[in-house]
Amino acid sequence: MKLSEHLSIYLRSIKMTLGASKKFMFCIFADEVLSAVMPYVPVWFSARLVDGLIAGDSADTLVLLAVAGVFLTFAISTLRNFITSVESMAEYDVYTLERWSYSKKALEMAYESIEDRETKHLLERIKKETQTGWNRFYLYRSYREITFSVTQILAGIGMSASFFALSSFSLWGKLGLVALFAATVAVNMFTENKVQASKNRFWESAIDMNVLDDKCSSFIKDYTSGMDIRLYGMEDNLDTIMYSCDRKFGMEGAKQRMKESLMKLPSDFMLQGLKLALYAVLISAALLGEVSVGSIAKYVSCVILVLGAFNELARILTITATNNHYLKRYFSYFDIPNNMYQGSLTVEKRDDAEYDVEFENVSFKYPGSETYALKNVSLKFRVGQKLAVVGENGSGKTTFIKLLCRLYDPTEGRILLNGVDIKKYDYDEYMSIFSVVFQDFRLFSFTLGQNVATASNYDPEKVTDALEKSGFSQRLSELPHGLDTYLYRDVSDSGIELSGGEAQKIALARALYKNAPFLVLDEPTAALDPLSEAEIYARFNEIAGIRTAIYISHRLSSTRFCDDILVFHNGNVIQRGSHDELVSSNGKYAELWNAQAQYYK
Ligand code: ADP
């Protein structure tokens, strides 16, 4: 990464933190400046006291000096305590805002990006890296340590400037000392860089190991996988994987620490050499009477503090440079563009739900896929009708619905609503005309009422009505807290567990509550028992009302009652008609029907 890129990432990070909380930044800055000057207070006062004692200053002056030194240290430390408490409150705000930023980004992103394996992997990596200390943690640390080191270097140089005015040393002697100091700093920086690079390689290699370890531990913690783990006796296998991950991590970590200590040996050696040279120079200056006894301790302390600060600065700059690589990845997630064309047309509100939909030679490939999931699909819906979409698994039925609902845009061709390309409509408005129950729908650990209404404030009568239509009313009447009953036990101990069929009925009620002109049910009866399934078919026309309803299934018995049936095969619509027409023609539908019929007889 070039220096300019490092700078631009770092500046963006500062802007981001300032945007989240200026108070937080100010507290970091103030706290670190105070913390950096604090060690110089006793150094200065002690030197002054020793010199005062030797010079025979009055007792009053000495006591005043001692009290002033103690008071100043106390004042700085009290101020720091106050600043730290304000800072920790502000840090909580920054942390909350950052957590929310992930959700906000996910909500703004095109669905295509969220579903993309690369995006998921990227997000998982960023979260893992953040958990292991990169990104936010090191960023704040770098603000702190850069402020601290720079202040300490400036204060130290300021306090020891008089050393360079000593006349007992030649200019060459002073320059030699400065050169030795610079060489020690340079060797330290170089070593720190190497150590950090080696550390990074170690953490890079550890990330995959940790991801596997975390996955295993989340399987174990997630009670939904508890059944499979027990039933298939997976405990030993999970235990072995986790144990070997931990052991490998522990052993590799110990080796890494040993390697780092060896790498640091030469720079530690140089540091001790510098200290020796400094003592030699100061003691000989003191013998010549040019340096007071108090100043010896002052100069040595200053040089050691400044050297330490340079080392710290070198270390934190190296870590900051590494962290910039992680921040680059972090920002790349937030920079994922939403390339879906955002139209602005409003969708015409029609009481009669007369919406006319046409697929015009539509083809589609999933992002990153070479093969077409849909190829040259052209069709028109007869508005208000009950349309069935059938076909074997993988034939393109769900993809067809995802395109219709604009979760993806077609790779080729157009989809028209009332004659206008759906891309031209306002995205949220267009979404609002669909109620969809996907095969892999999700319910949330909120109350039943909130799940159906997808809101905290809702009309209980409307929710109850939707639940009745979806066939959930009997179970509802048995629930002690009615609509206020929590689903699952994540939030409340009195929450209820749901069978697959019950969950599907609630998802259907959610779709009905939305009351959108299009109702799409993707394999809606797959988890229902035969009685509930029969009930839904019998009342399907009543449930759908005047809406255009699309009913997807690979079970042909369940779509018989629809007047218009589309048959998908390998991403194409190969047949269309009523059940009777399709059964009597010698095509895919008849083949599937006859193959499945043996189970219905
Ligand atoms: P159906 O609903 O008829 O079972 P789908 O529409 O889900 O079929 O799938 C059609 C084709 O698209 C299949 O080959 C499937 O493997 C592929 N497919 C579905 N979802 C994705 C995805 N997110 N990424 C890549 N390919 C997918």
Side-chain angles (χ1 to χ4, degrees):
M1 213 193 272
K2 278 195 206 141
L3 182 64
S4 57
E5 198 178 355
H6 275 293
L7 285 176
S8 108
I9 289 176
Y10 202 65
L11 282 177
R12 182 171 174 187
S13 310
I14 293 177
K15 245 191 230 166
M16 178 181 76
T17 319
L18 277 174
S21 170
K22 289 192 181 59
K23 196 198 283 175
F24 177 61
M25 270 306 240
F26 175 76
C27 286
I28 287 185
F29 184 74
D31 185 34
E32 293 305 324
V33 167
L34 289 176
S35 153
V37 296
M38 194 130 135
Y40 289 109
V41 175
V43 167
W44 189 87
F45 278 95
S46 304
R48 195 52 202 84
L49 270 174
V50 171
D51 289 344
L53 271 172
I54 292 172
D57 283 357
S58 72
D60 283 357
T61 314
L62 295 175
V63 169
L64 199 68
L65 264 174
V67 171
V70 170
F71 179 77
L72 195 57
T73 312
F74 173 74
I76 293 178
S77 114
T78 310
L79 189 57
R80 281 196 60 206
N81 284 343
F82 171 73
I83 293 173
T84 318
S85 62
V86 176
E87 182 192 313
S88 56
M89 276 188 282
E91 182 168 8
Y92 183 75
D93 290 343
V94 176
Y95 175 61
T96 314
L97 213 73
E98 198 217 344
R99 278 204 339 180
W100 165 237
S101 66
Y102 284 112
S103 317
K104 189 163 168 271
K105 177 68 194 173
L107 291 171
E108 286 166 3
M109 230 186 251
Y111 179 77
E112 174 181 321
S113 306
I114 295 181
E115 228 202 12
D116 186 7
R117 214 151 25 104
E118 269 182 35
T119 314
K120 284 186 197 160
H121 191 65
L122 175 67
L123 188 59
E124 236 174 68
R125 255 198 103 126
I126 292 171
K127 288 201 166 164
K128 191 86 237 163
E129 285 162 0
T130 308
Q131 269 170 22
T132 47
W134 296 108
N135 297 328
R136 182 164 42 81
F137 179 75
Y138 270 122
L139 182 65
Y140 303 161
R141 212 172 129 184
S142 88
Y143 297 155
R144 276 183 224 289
E145 294 187 14
I146 290 176
T147 311
F148 179 90
S149 319
V150 171
T151 312
Q152 202 153 67
I153 290 167
L154 293 178
I157 290 175
M159 259 178 76
S160 46
S162 55
F163 175 76
F164 291 95
L166 296 181
S167 56
S168 57
F169 284 106
S170 65
L171 180 65
W172 287 113
K174 286 172 193 161
L175 286 180
L177 209 58
V178 171
L180 183 60
F181 183 86
T184 312
V185 169
V187 170
N188 260 295
M189 284 173 113
F190 177 77
T191 309
E192 208 43 66
N193 212 336
K194 290 270 163 232
V195 167
Q196 199 53 48
S198 156
K199 231 183 211 139
N200 295 343
R201 279 194 298 277
F202 170 71
W203 282 111
E204 271 299 309
S205 70
I207 275 191
D208 287 342
M209 208 154 54
N210 284 341
V211 167
L212 180 64
D213 192 40
D214 269 16
K215 276 260 175 291
C216 291
S217 105
S218 66
F219 287 152
I220 292 173
K221 281 186 213 138
D222 182 1
Y223 72 102
T224 54
S225 42
M227 261 189 317
D228 292 307
I229 291 174
R230 279 163 189 72
L231 217 58
Y232 292 100
M234 286 153 72
E235 299 94 329
D236 287 349
N237 190 25
L238 286 169
D239 201 34
T240 312
I241 296 174
M242 286 173 71
Y243 178 72
S244 70
C245 282
D246 286 346
R247 200 175 140 73
K248 195 170 163 204
F249 185 62
M251 282 182 22
E252 295 295 321
K255 268 196 231 162
Q256 176 65 23
R257 280 189 290 280
M258 174 66 80
K259 192 171 153 190
E260 287 171 18
S261 313
L262 288 174
M263 287 167 87
K264 282 183 182 170
L265 264 183
S267 65
D268 286 348
F269 190 69
M270 275 194 83
L271 177 63
Q272 301 314 322
L274 176 70
K275 275 194 208 164
L276 266 181
L278 190 67
Y279 272 119
V281 165
L282 286 170
I283 289 170
S284 57
L287 289 176
L288 289 171
E290 252 215 308
V291 174
S292 69
V293 177
S295 297
I296 294 184
K298 187 180 80 177
Y299 289 135
V300 172
S301 301
C302 283
V303 168
I304 290 174
L305 282 172
V306 171
L307 193 72
F310 264 113
N311 276 347
E312 276 301 294
L313 187 63
R315 208 173 48 77
I316 196 63
L317 285 180
T318 319
I319 295 177
T320 304
T322 310
N323 198 36
N324 281 348
H325 289 275
Y326 291 98
L327 281 169
K328 184 177 175 184
R329 186 151 40 231
Y330 173 85
F331 286 132
S332 74
Y333 174 75
F334 290 92
D335 289 342
I336 293 174
N338 185 339
N339 287 331
M340 280 191 118
Y341 180 83
Q342 305 287 323
S344 56
L345 284 186
T346 50
V347 176
E348 189 189 354
K349 305 277 180 306
R350 303 185 64 118
D351 291 338
D352 57 4
E354 287 268 327
Y355 292 96
D356 190 17
V357 175
E358 183 173 2
F359 273 56
E360 218 181 57
N361 216 13
V362 169
S363 299
F364 178 70
K365 279 183 197 168
Y366 278 98
S369 172
E370 289 298 309
T371 49
Y372 280 97
L374 284 189
K375 188 78 188 141
N376 299 334
V377 173
S378 290
L379 53 91
K380 238 178 158 164
F381 293 2
R382 285 180 236 151
V383 173
Q385 269 191 324
K386 315 301 167 229
L387 181 78
V389 176
V390 303
E392 289 159 306
N393 282 334
S395 57
K397 305 183 294 292
T398 304
T399 307
F400 166 70
I401 297 303
K402 284 181 175 168
L403 290 183
L404 173 67
C405 302
R406 236 202 130 192
L407 292 177
Y408 293 95
D409 280 335
T411 314
E412 290 145 35
R414 295 193 306 166
I415 303 169
L416 308 170
L417 174 75
N418 293 347
V420 176
D421 190 332
I422 60 172
K423 288 184 188 176
K424 296 193 175 151
Y425 290 108
D426 175 87
Y427 190 72
D428 292 337
E429 274 218 19
Y430 181 73
M431 283 277 183
S432 72
I433 63 169
F434 292 97
S435 278
V436 188
V437 182
F438 281 110
Q439 240 172 314
D440 51 357
F441 62 86
R442 283 282 155 84
L443 297 176
F444 303 94
S445 305
F446 306 143
T447 64
L448 172 62
Q450 288 169 348
N451 264 281
V452 174
T454 62
S456 307
N457 296 320
Y458 55 83
D459 176 354
E461 248 177 64
K462 249 182 91 185
V463 170
T464 311
D465 184 49
L467 284 166
E468 194 192 324
K469 281 194 179 127
S470 73
F472 194 80
S473 48
Q474 180 164 354
R475 181 80 207 270
L476 175 63
S477 64
E478 293 161 4
L479 297 177
H481 303 292
L483 296 180
D484 294 327
T485 309
Y486 274 91
L487 302 191
Y488 314 114
R489 301 225 168 88
D490 306 328
V491 177
S492 163
D493 283 343
S494 61
I496 49 164
E497 291 300 328
L498 300 164
S499 70
E502 286 169 341
Q504 220 154 18
K505 286 176 185 173
I506 296 174
L508 179 58
R510 178 170 66 186
L512 295 174
Y513 183 91
K514 188 176 171 189
N515 200 18
F518 281 88
L519 178 64
V520 183
L521 308 177
D522 189 354
E523 300 275 5
T525 57
L528 295 185
D529 57 78
L531 272 179
S532 308
E533 189 182 357
E535 194 188 321
I536 295 244
Y537 301 153
R539 294 174 42 227
F540 188 64
N541 281 339
E542 182 202 331
I543 290 173
I546 57 163
R547 285 173 271 225
T548 303
I550 305 171
Y551 195 101
I552 307 174
S553 186
H554 69 280
R555 273 198 268 180
L556 303 198
S557 63
S558 62
T559 54
R560 247 183 113 154
F561 62 94
C562 289
D563 13 64
D564 195 7
I565 302 173
L566 294 174
V567 185
F568 271 76
H569 185 61
N570 288 342
N572 282 301
V573 179
I574 52 165
Q575 282 182 291
R576 184 171 186 172
S578 69
H579 170 75
D580 292 339
E581 284 162 7
L582 291 169
V583 155
S584 54
S585 70
N586 228 358
K588 188 78 192 168
Y589 188 88
E591 182 194 315
L592 291 173
W593 175 258
N594 290 329
Q596 291 180 8
Q598 53 179 310
Y599 302 113
Y600 315 136
K601 279 173 188 160

